[in-house]
Amino acid sequence: MATLDVYYRGDMNRLAAAVALHIHPRTLDYRLRRVREVTGLDPASTKGIRVLTAAVARLLAGAWD
């Protein structure tokens, strides 16, 4: 969730997100690929952005404790 949060807050800029997360850009690519595999949603697609940002916001707000 932290990866998606940073990725979306950084306007989906891979390099900026990788720097903010202190990881290599390829590690970020791997994480985003895993999100796609696990959820069936592409984090960079319109539908993926809507659904995944809502999920991240709810989780960070404590709605799913």
Side-chain angles (χ1 to χ4, degrees), residues 2-51:
T3 298
L4 287 173
D5 185 42
V6 170
Y7 179 64
Y8 290 136
R9 286 180 188 271
D11 200 25
M12 299 187 336
N13 182 315
R14 286 179 50 256
L15 295 178
V19 168
L21 292 165
H22 306 288
I23 60 174
H24 193 278
R26 289 184 185 161
T27 302
L28 177 64
D29 293 341
Y30 169 76
R31 291 180 183 182
L32 295 174
R33 189 169 44 252
R34 285 292 298 151
V35 168
R36 187 173 26 251
E37 291 170 1
V38 170
T39 65
L41 296 168
D42 180 358
S45 72
T46 304
K47 181 179 179 182
I49 293 167
R50 285 193 321 248
V51 173

